[in-house]
Amino acid sequence: MINVGILVLGVAAVALAAVALRQGTDTFTRGVKRAVEQAAHLVPRMICALIGAGFVGKLMPSDLIAQHLGGEAGIWAILVATAAGLVLPAGPVVAFAIAAVFARAGASVPALVAFITSWSLFAAHRIFMYEIPLLGLSFVRLRVASVAVAPVLAGLIAMAVGMVVTFAQPATG
Amino acid sequence: MTTTTEVDDEQREPEAGRLRSAVAGKAWWRELLSIGFGRSFWGFLAFAVVSGAACRLVDGEAAFFDALTADVGLLLQTAPRIALALAVAGFLWVTLPRDRVTSLIGTESGLRGLLIATVAGVVTPGGPSSAFPLLAVLGASGADRGAMISYVSSWAILGLQRILVWDVPFMGTEFSLVRFLVCLPLPIVAGLIARRLPLTLRLVETQGGGR
């Protein structure tokens, strides 16, 4: 199925490949190698995570998700989603697999925006592995205080925009 | 420069650095295998197996095969997007030197400084193992706290590579675009808040320059 997403990605890939080629075949080869290395790392894990998330999606009561993260839940959905993103100590494979499960179960766009924003800002493993050792606790404190409102704000902006424009439920696939 | 990959569990992958210097021969393919089926892979496999078993036990055989076929369908649909996204990320990585991106930050103050930091965060490729060391260098070279916060928030929320590799395949193009636009002002807001907060900031001495 050809859709806009694939088209945009395809054009971007070709354009960037051309830029890399102009910089020399060596740059081009390094780009290809990096892509293959990332694929080697990600694809096996992604397959497991997607399949696992599908089972978890079946296990999780979807009416509960729809009730707490759906459009009807309003601001409550944004708060629940923010909390869910906050406590998720995992990398992007798990986070996005869960987001896809939420989307399939009927979570609203503002809730999904809040969830992804919250996870990307507060991913706990990242704070412990990189931020504290490299920048220190006082930086973490400053950053957390500065971005504390961001996920809820993002959800609220999405909600406000949603009153003017209607979004399609995110396609998961 | 230590080379690092945006990995699923966002951990350092030392093998990846070795690879780049190796010739694309047999050794490289062997390394690829060891990257693909490294320790954390088995964790993911265990997750899939355990959740599958739980699904089979709780919801029965029909639900199990239902979920499995849905997953395989989803995988097949997602595969071309992931392949393209990885190509984009790979070429972005080699054509966009990260040190040049960050050298722009901290040269401007005021709102302009925060804007530049936000743009730099969007285009910085790579996972936390490349963003945080860069941030440490920024801090050591005296960038203001607002710019530092804007930069790292922007990288976390709006990072282009993250959006290409994760948002677009998993959530679709329209949602990714909506999320990007909705979140666009957030790093600047965070930077403005950081400048006004009465918190003392004492950065860790960067060992070995952080690189």
Side-chain angles (χ1 to χ4, degrees):
Chain A
M1 194 178 73
I2 298 294
N3 61 19
V4 188
I6 293 191
L7 220 60
V8 170
L9 279 177
V11 170
V14 172
L16 280 166
V19 172
L21 259 181
R22 272 181 66 116
Q23 290 183 6
T25 33
D26 177 56
T27 311
F28 181 80
T29 320
R30 280 195 298 129
V32 174
K33 270 187 147 186
R34 172 151 176 105
V36 174
E37 284 160 17
Q38 274 204 302
H41 192 97
L42 285 177
V43 172
R45 288 162 177 77
M46 233 176 207
I47 292 172
C48 295
L50 265 174
I51 290 179
F55 289 134
V56 172
K58 262 275 191 284
L59 286 168
M60 268 203 280
S62 55
D63 46 333
L64 209 67
I65 295 176
Q67 186 192 335
H68 289 286
L69 293 176
E72 314 279 81
I75 293 175
W76 173 249
I78 294 175
L79 295 176
V80 172
T82 300
L86 200 65
V87 298
L88 189 73
V93 175
V94 175
F96 279 96
I98 290 178
V101 168
F102 283 170
R104 258 186 287 176
S108 68
V109 169
L112 291 168
V113 167
F115 173 74
I116 295 176
T117 307
S118 171
W119 166 77
S120 53
L121 285 172
F122 300 111
H125 66 295
R126 199 191 288 155
I127 294 180
F128 286 110
M129 283 176 55
Y130 297 100
E131 199 169 9
I132 293 176
L134 284 171
L135 291 143
L137 269 174
S138 76
F139 182 81
V140 177
R141 195 179 54 180
L142 176 70
R143 191 181 69 81
V144 168
S146 304
V147 297
V149 292
V152 177
L153 198 59
L156 290 177
I157 296 174
M159 198 182 250
V161 174
M163 286 169 183
V164 190
V165 201
T166 41
F167 310 129
Q169 184 69 10
T172 55
Chain B
M1 189 96 205
T2 41
T3 38
T4 39
T5 35
E6 160 99 88
V7 294
D8 56 282
D9 46 3
E10 303 200 335
Q11 281 170 1
R12 240 174 260 260
E13 277 295 295
E15 298 100 318
R18 268 209 316 262
L19 268 180
R20 209 134 296 120
S21 52
V23 226
K26 248 188 204 156
W28 188 60
W29 293 104
R30 254 202 306 276
E31 289 279 4
L32 281 186
L33 267 184
S34 78
I35 290 177
F37 300 97
R39 219 190 310 159
S40 76
F41 166 78
W42 302 104
F44 280 99
L45 188 65
F47 165 65
V49 170
V50 169
S51 59
C55 182
R56 171 77 182 74
L57 275 175
V58 176
D59 291 343
E61 200 164 328
F64 174 85
F65 282 111
D66 249 23
L68 199 61
T69 38
D71 290 339
V72 172
L74 188 60
L75 273 174
L76 290 178
Q77 279 189 328
T78 317
R81 274 193 255 176
I82 292 177
L84 285 173
L86 286 172
V88 171
F91 287 126
L92 209 59
W93 176 267
V94 291
T95 51
L96 206 89
R98 280 147 295 150
D99 5 18
R100 209 192 294 162
V101 169
T102 35
S103 67
L104 289 170
I105 311 166
T107 53
E108 294 270 358
S109 58
L111 202 59
R112 220 181 122 84
L114 299 187
L115 274 171
I116 293 175
T118 301
V119 173
V122 171
V123 298
T124 298
S129 50
S130 57
F132 281 107
L134 284 173
L135 188 65
V137 174
L138 272 182
S141 62
D144 99 286
R145 52 158 78 183
M148 286 178 78
I149 296 292
S150 285
Y151 172 72
V152 74
S153 305
S154 166
W155 165 81
I157 313 175
L158 304 170
L160 200 60
Q161 186 183 328
R162 185 189 298 274
I163 288 178
L164 284 174
V165 177
W166 299 105
D167 279 74
V168 172
F170 277 85
M171 307 300 286
T173 319
E174 186 186 323
F175 175 83
S176 310
L177 195 64
V178 168
R179 192 180 77 77
F180 183 83
L181 294 176
V182 158
C183 292
L184 210 49
L186 295 179
I188 295 165
V189 172
L192 288 173
I193 293 176
R195 280 183 182 162
R196 274 164 190 73
L197 283 176
L199 291 170
T200 46
L201 178 61
R202 202 186 269 117
L203 291 172
V204 170
E205 299 283 317
T206 40
Q207 309 97 328
R211 292 270 275 174

